[in-house]
Amino acid sequence: MTDRSRAAGEAVDSVLVALADPTRRQLLELLAAQGEATATTLAEPLPVSRQAVVKHLAVLDAAGLVSATRVGREVRYAVRPTALDATARWMAALAADWDRRLADIKRVAEAAEEAERDSR
């Protein structure tokens, strides 16, 4: 495994870990809808404290899913789609690989079934 593919794998891992939590997924959805928001604004519709939201946002930031920008005394968060796009591409490639494998299995099974019919 090359350093580049190892780094890509680690990036996908951190995105999947970040997305495993329903609160973090909800934060991403809120940010996608609002475009940009503070932790206080994001905490309003959620059943968790502002401090918990800040911790969740830190995980999302570490995974490259959000960015934080200081504007005066506020910190505003926004979605960064690059890491999510890379993870979606990885998942699509994985799905395509499984589709190829399943198609191969289907061909072998159908050929065996055809040979069975022909031998009768």
Side-chain angles (χ1 to χ4, degrees):
M1 181 179 268
T2 66
D3 288 342
R4 186 175 184 175
S5 62
R6 187 175 298 113
E10 290 171 2
V12 167
D13 289 350
S14 67
V15 167
L16 293 175
V17 167
L19 294 177
D21 185 277
T23 301
R24 290 194 282 268
R25 290 192 306 271
Q26 193 171 7
L27 285 169
L28 276 178
E29 289 173 13
L30 288 169
L31 282 171
Q34 296 177 18
E36 187 178 81
T38 65
T40 302
T41 304
L42 292 167
E44 288 173 4
L46 298 175
V48 296
S49 68
R50 180 194 169 285
Q51 292 79 10
V53 167
V54 169
K55 288 180 181 181
H56 284 298
L57 289 167
V59 173
L60 292 170
D61 188 21
L65 294 169
V66 300
S67 61
T69 306
R70 185 169 285 283
V71 179
R73 292 173 52 186
E74 289 185 334
V75 177
R76 295 185 186 162
Y77 295 89
V79 174
R80 291 176 52 199
T82 306
L84 197 54
D85 291 343
T87 302
R89 283 192 306 276
W90 173 80
M91 292 173 80
L94 186 64
D97 189 40
W98 275 104
D99 287 345
R100 280 189 298 278
R101 290 178 184 183
L102 291 173
D104 289 345
I105 291 169
K106 181 180 177 188
R107 273 193 299 279
V108 168
E110 287 173 346
E113 190 176 82
E114 184 70 29
E116 175 78 22
R117 272 189 292 217
D118 291 345
S119 68
R120 288 184 200 167

